[in-house]
Amino acid sequence: MKNGLYILFITTLLATGCSERNQQEMKAKQDAEAKARADAAKKEMQTLPQTFKPRYNKKLDQSETKSEPAPPPPQNPKP
């Protein structure tokens, strides 16, 4: 009976000791992943304004606006 209690006690100590370490490792890993995601998002947010520049301050050139007249509608003969 006492041997069973000792084994149960030792097993419980080992299980709780390992789980504590795993939780700390998982938290550190999650923190590192969150920081990496935040850095990637920050880098992307800094490059977006350079990629998509606003055009509200620019004058429109005639070369940019190619306005062609619409083709006339096809004329169907009356039956």
Side-chain angles (χ1 to χ4, degrees):
M1 180 75 174
K2 289 185 179 183
N3 289 339
L5 289 175
Y6 289 129
I7 292 173
L8 180 64
F9 180 70
I10 292 172
T11 305
T12 306
L13 286 177
L14 290 175
T16 56
C18 294
S19 65
E20 179 71 25
R21 183 175 31 154
N22 289 341
Q23 288 177 355
Q24 290 174 351
E25 289 175 3
M26 287 177 50
K27 181 164 176 49
K29 184 177 178 182
Q30 289 174 352
D31 290 344
E33 288 175 355
K35 185 176 181 183
R37 284 193 305 269
D39 289 341
K42 183 178 179 182
K43 182 179 178 183
E44 183 177 351
M45 292 304 288
Q46 289 174 349
T47 58
L48 279 176
Q50 297 169 356
T51 304
F52 300 104
K53 295 182 181 179
R55 297 185 344 191
Y56 55 84
N57 287 336
K58 294 183 180 180
K59 290 184 179 180
L60 292 177
D61 294 334
Q62 292 298 331
S63 61
E64 288 182 14
T65 57
K66 297 179 182 177
S67 59
E68 297 177 8
Q75 296 185 3
N76 295 331
K78 292 184 179 180

